[in-house]
Amino acid sequence: MRDIHSDKILVLDFGSQYTQLIARRVREAKVYSEIMPYNVPFAKIKKFNPKGIILSGGPSSVYQKGAPICSPGIFNLNVPVLGICYGMQLMTHLFEGKVGRAEKREYGKAELYIDDDTNVLEGLGNGTVVWMSHGDKIETLPEGFSTIGHTANSPIAAMGDDQRRLYGLQFHPEVVHTHNGTKILHNFVYNICGCSATWTMKSFLDYSIENIKRKVGRRHVICALSGGVDSTVVATLVSRAVGGQLTSIFVNNGLLRKGEAEKVQNMINETLHLNLRYVDASDLFLKKLEGVTDPEKKRKIIGREFIRVFEKEAKKIGKAEFLAQGTLYPDVIESVSFKGPSATIKTHHNVGGLPTKMQFDLIEPLRELFKDEVRVLGKELAIPDEILWRQPFPGPGLAIRVLGDITEERLYILREADAIVLEEIKREGLYKDIWQSFAVLLPVKTVGVMGDERTYENVIALRAVTSMDGMTADWVKLPYELLGRISNRIINEVKGVNRVVYDISSKPPSTIEWE
Ligand code: XMP
């Protein structure tokens, strides 16, 4: 079997919002790439044994006190280094060139003119559009370097030293606004670092199956299955490796969408043929949630009960030693870019949060993958698109979309309204382009008129957002006709609703879910 990790590119993170994107672009070139913080001990870099290193951008200035600096040892490893934006300035600084403040911050598109097309800029052609975002610039090149590209505002927009195989770019090749960015990164990883394209999902699949087989042997594995992308891919993958030694547990917490429990079970049983244990714990969850209106309390109760139910089922199965779960690469990157606020905004609960006090060995086959790679892997495993392209659904389910008291009746109203929203969004062909689209049942009643009668009934709010990762989001400008159709259908078809409103808030300052 080909070693998918034989050629690796290391991305050192100096705090750029694009760091993850750099690693993803390299992986799209079928070369394995990992991100480490800029100050990672040198020994760890040596052990990783990369074939090339990319220094990310970042918000700092190299000449400021306390500016992030990586171990200069990386330049003695005899591997090529590509510095992007701050990474280029740092390289210049460390090799005793001069970095200064640009007269004007340069932000946005610029045309690049090539001075040397024999290395990273090979095959680009003059006038290609690149994306700039910097306040500092290179004033004097370090010894051994020459200018390989310039723009109207940046006389040194790209530099290189072929002898030592060191390159710097003032612009960002990883963002789509840089038209030939992929070509530049390909030049670096293939031509300059000499990597070959070994990181394919097919080879990752073979590699994972081998690994899981070796680790598990004849023992047993359990996993919590929600029907979402990550847990379905994990369960299918592990089942490919160890077959009937895996039992997947699907807990119906009574907070699922219309027809969801049945749909997921059918898919698992008929298409994916997994060994599934279905637990209907709806009554238990709804009882525990009776009279609870505080969103954090709802979340805590659901998280706690989920673990209880899961543990009870696991005991019944008895012999499992391993727990498989869908931890993804963004959850494990020790990155300096995404230092979120330390205050808990919402306690998130999902099936990934299980094992804190459970006595299992973990199997986390997706630890190295980004979300889009998980989908490709899912495709490789013949998981239907219907699952692979599902919009995210929160662990606490409809409990945080029925605002206030959760009752069977209110859950029913929300389920019916939500089903109409999804049906119409899908009919319009928008489902895949939207991060999430759903209905929320508000805890207020309003006056309406139906026929000649006064009504006093519920309000449904519609929420539809675009997002890259759920961290920030914007509301979708849905066509008026579609909004009209959804509203009409909900008011006509769902008894107990006489008003529909559309949520036009972005995150921040709002959040995606209402609770
Ligand atoms: P917010 O509402 O914080 O949501 O903007 C961001 C994303 O996370 C999802 N979400 C959750 N997912 N357990 C989950 O597994 C939770 O408790 C939870 N709360 C919110 C939400 O649907 C959105 O995609």
Side-chain angles (χ1 to χ4, degrees):
M1 191 164 45
R2 271 162 102 195
D3 180 4
I4 55 172
H5 296 110
S6 63
D7 295 350
K8 293 176 291 196
I9 296 288
L10 174 64
V11 179
L12 282 184
D13 180 21
F14 291 89
S16 164
Q17 54 178 323
Y18 302 131
T19 303
Q20 289 205 17
L21 212 48
I22 303 173
R24 281 169 54 179
R25 293 281 174 266
V26 173
R27 288 180 181 204
E28 280 162 18
K30 302 189 170 51
V31 174
Y32 183 66
S33 170
E34 270 192 27
I35 299 168
M36 293 185 192
Y38 70 90
N39 55 357
V40 63
F42 181 59
K44 204 167 160 192
I45 297 180
K46 255 183 107 167
K47 185 158 172 256
F48 184 66
N49 192 21
K51 277 203 129 176
I53 298 176
I54 300 179
L55 312 178
S56 85
S60 319
S61 285
V62 282
Y63 45 76
Q64 268 170 357
K65 232 179 107 197
I69 292 182
C70 57
S71 164
I74 62 163
F75 298 106
N76 299 327
L77 286 172
N78 197 24
V79 299
V81 181
L82 174 68
I84 295 174
C85 201
Y86 178 83
M88 175 198 205
Q89 293 150 12
L90 178 65
M91 201 188 277
T92 305
H93 183 70
L94 291 174
F95 284 100
E96 295 175 357
K98 193 157 176 269
V99 179
R101 180 149 283 284
E103 300 79 56
K104 207 167 86 205
R105 240 187 130 250
E106 193 180 7
Y107 184 82
K109 290 178 182 168
E111 286 181 1
L112 180 72
Y113 293 91
I114 317 284
D115 300 300
D116 177 354
D117 68 352
T118 60
N119 40 56
V120 275
L121 303 182
E122 192 184 328
L124 252 60
N126 272 327
T128 184
V129 172
V130 297
W131 184 258
M132 292 285 191
S133 169
H134 64 110
D136 289 347
K137 62 169 189 183
I138 312 298
E139 285 176 354
T140 316
L141 285 170
E143 221 178 291
F145 282 82
S146 57
T147 303
I148 59 173
H150 67 274
T151 66
N153 280 324
S154 296
I156 309 175
M159 66 179 195
D161 173 348
D162 286 327
Q163 200 90 52
R164 288 179 288 185
R165 296 187 296 168
L166 305 178
Y167 300 92
L169 305 172
Q170 189 54 79
F171 54 89
H172 292 271
E174 69 276 21
V175 304
V176 288
H177 314 294
T178 294
H179 290 174
N180 282 307
T182 313
K183 172 85 181 129
I184 298 174
L185 290 171
H186 282 196
N187 286 342
F188 181 68
V189 300
Y190 296 143
N191 307 349
I192 294 169
C193 301
C195 294
S196 37
T198 47
W199 175 257
T200 64
M201 270 310 139
K202 173 75 183 79
S203 48
F204 177 81
L205 179 60
D206 297 341
Y207 156 89
S208 298
I209 288 178
E210 265 321 296
N211 259 359
I212 296 168
K213 268 189 185 153
R214 199 169 328 118
K215 188 163 174 182
V216 171
R218 295 174 159 275
R219 290 171 288 177
H220 280 79
V221 189
I222 52 170
C223 90
L225 192 72
S226 69
V229 184
D230 306 339
S231 67
T232 308
V233 171
V234 167
T236 312
L237 173 61
V238 175
S239 152
R240 274 280 180 94
V242 299
Q245 287 159 255
L246 168 75
T247 308
S248 303
I249 300 173
F250 175 46
V251 178
N252 181 350
N253 58 10
L255 303 162
L256 303 175
R257 287 162 291 189
K258 186 177 178 182
E260 191 169 11
E262 297 74 27
K263 241 190 263 165
V264 172
Q265 281 184 85
N266 286 344
M267 189 83 74
I268 301 300
N269 291 328
E270 286 161 24
T271 316
L272 300 174
H273 309 292
L274 302 179
N275 179 10
L276 181 73
R277 208 176 171 101
Y278 171 73
V279 190
D280 185 356
S282 322
D283 290 346
L284 171 77
F285 278 85
L286 296 188
K287 192 152 180 18
K288 295 279 177 190
L289 287 167
E290 232 171 59
V292 180
T293 53
D294 178 70
E296 272 303 284
K297 275 204 190 119
K298 286 181 181 175
R299 276 197 158 74
K300 292 230 162 82
I301 291 171
I302 295 165
R304 192 181 61 218
E305 290 312 313
F306 183 82
I307 292 178
R308 276 196 194 146
V309 172
F310 187 82
E311 272 181 328
K312 209 165 126 199
E313 281 316 303
K315 273 206 191 100
K316 284 190 203 156
I317 299 165
K319 53 211 164 181
E321 285 176 48
F322 294 96
L323 177 76
Q325 58 178 22
T327 315
L328 301 191
Y329 189 50
D331 306 329
V332 298
I333 303 176
E334 226 189 290
S335 166
V336 291
S337 316
F338 287 101
K339 282 214 184 92
S342 53
T344 303
I345 295 169
K346 294 178 187 183
T347 305
H348 275 211
H349 144 74
N350 54 34
V351 292
L354 270 175
T356 37
K357 59 189 179 73
M358 292 175 140
Q359 298 297 312
F360 290 110
D361 273 344
L362 289 185
I363 295 182
E364 300 179 299
L366 311 184
R367 267 182 88 84
E368 289 185 343
L369 303 187
F370 288 111
K371 187 88 179 183
D372 36 359
E373 293 177 312
V374 174
R375 292 207 171 99
V376 182
L377 179 63
K379 191 103 196 140
E380 201 66 59
L381 286 161
I383 294 174
D385 275 1
E386 205 182 325
I387 288 191
L388 294 182
W389 290 99
R390 271 180 98 182
Q391 293 177 354
F393 185 64
L398 300 185
I400 54 170
R401 295 182 182 169
V402 168
L403 306 198
D405 252 343
I406 301 166
T407 61
E408 287 280 13
E409 188 202 346
R410 291 172 59 74
L411 278 169
Y412 176 79
I413 293 175
L414 179 61
R415 275 195 186 105
E416 294 299 314
D418 190 66
I420 293 174
V421 175
L422 285 181
E423 203 182 303
E424 290 296 333
I425 293 274
K426 283 181 181 163
R427 201 200 310 258
E428 193 83 9
L430 292 175
Y431 183 77
K432 260 193 182 178
D433 302 326
I434 291 177
W435 171 261
Q436 274 172 299
S437 45
F438 55 87
V440 180
L441 178 61
L442 305 192
V444 286
K445 290 196 169 184
T446 69
V447 172
V449 53
M450 233 176 232
D452 292 329
E453 298 275 320
R454 174 187 188 274
T455 59
Y456 186 54
E457 290 186 317
N458 292 289
V459 185
I460 286 285
L462 306 178
R463 185 75 165 137
V465 294
T466 47
S467 174
M468 288 295 285
D469 49 16
M471 308 279 282
T472 59
D474 200 6
W475 61 280
V476 183
K477 280 81 194 165
L478 290 178
Y480 282 168
E481 291 71 26
L482 174 64
L483 284 170
R485 213 160 44 239
I486 293 174
S487 166
N488 262 342
R489 278 198 59 195
I490 291 177
I491 292 171
N492 287 332
E493 294 174 33
V494 184
K495 202 161 168 293
V497 178
N498 68 357
R499 191 176 299 271
V500 172
V501 296
Y502 190 41
D503 179 353
I504 52 169
S505 350
S506 58
K507 173 184 180 176
S510 297
T511 52
I512 296 176
E513 305 289 346
W514 279 45
E515 282 195 339

